[in-house]
Amino acid sequence: MSTEHPVRVATAADVPAVKAVTDAAYHPYIARIGVVPQPMEADHAANVAAGLVHVTGEPEVVGLVVVEARPDHLLLDSIAVHPDAHGQGVGRALLAFVEDHARGLGLPEIRLYTNALMWENQKIYPRYGYEVVERRVDGPYDRIHYRKHVRP
């Protein structure tokens, strides 16, 4: 885990920041993909209450991940970095946290998906060892699904 960007479980007090960071990170994609990205419509309070949200940044939250343990993998449901924090290693620290978290849970794989029109992500994930599994349309979302095997 990154010491420069320590990650902790979000608390109820973080819910407004979780919403603000998610909205700031995903808002630029609305015009490009033609719909509101699903993470912006998430029930942030419920996700925080369920222990699914992990944040980084003190005193202000600048990044977060929403992860959910499944029987055979860890689902990286959302990752968001505030645009003001781009280029500071926040995303890298969050991805390292997700891998450590999966390993700690004994899960052999991380899975995630991104909208096909969020082409920036298609350059980022392979650099961190994620491979494309499939492209699938889910309702209004054209998604590329990725996976990464976690070494014990």
Side-chain angles (χ1 to χ4, degrees):
M1 191 178 322
S2 171
T3 56
E4 185 179 356
H5 299 288
V7 179
R8 63 175 174 78
V9 175
T11 66
D14 294 314
V15 170
V18 167
K19 177 173 178 22
V21 170
T22 300
D23 288 353
Y26 285 93
H27 189 269
Y29 294 113
I30 294 173
R32 187 187 305 170
I33 66 176
V35 294
V36 174
Q38 195 170 13
M40 292 178 72
E41 296 183 327
D43 186 338
H44 302 295
N47 286 342
V48 167
L52 304 178
V53 183
H54 301 262
V55 297
T56 188
E58 291 295 334
E60 298 292 323
V61 171
V62 296
L64 64 102
V65 290
V66 180
V67 292
E68 185 176 345
R70 302 281 174 90
D72 61 346
H73 69 278
L74 183 66
L75 174 65
L76 173 50
D77 189 50
S78 176
I79 182 168
V81 176
H82 195 283
D84 293 346
H86 285 179
Q88 298 175 18
V90 175
R92 180 174 47 248
L94 289 167
L95 288 173
F97 165 80
V98 170
E99 190 168 340
D100 289 344
H101 190 56
R103 190 176 295 111
L105 294 171
L107 295 171
E109 187 173 274
I110 301 163
R111 296 182 191 168
L112 64 86
Y113 51 82
T114 189
N115 192 288
L117 294 176
M118 294 179 182
W119 52 77
E120 301 88 344
N121 297 340
Q122 295 171 50
K123 295 176 184 173
I124 293 170
Y125 293 127
R127 287 198 315 240
Y128 291 94
Y130 289 84
E131 61 182 353
V132 173
V133 176
E134 68 177 326
R135 183 170 177 171
R136 186 171 70 221
V137 175
D138 298 311
Y141 305 102
D142 182 3
R143 295 177 170 153
I144 298 176
H145 293 253
Y146 291 84
R147 72 174 173 207
K148 179 177 184 173
H149 296 288
V150 178
R151 294 182 180 93

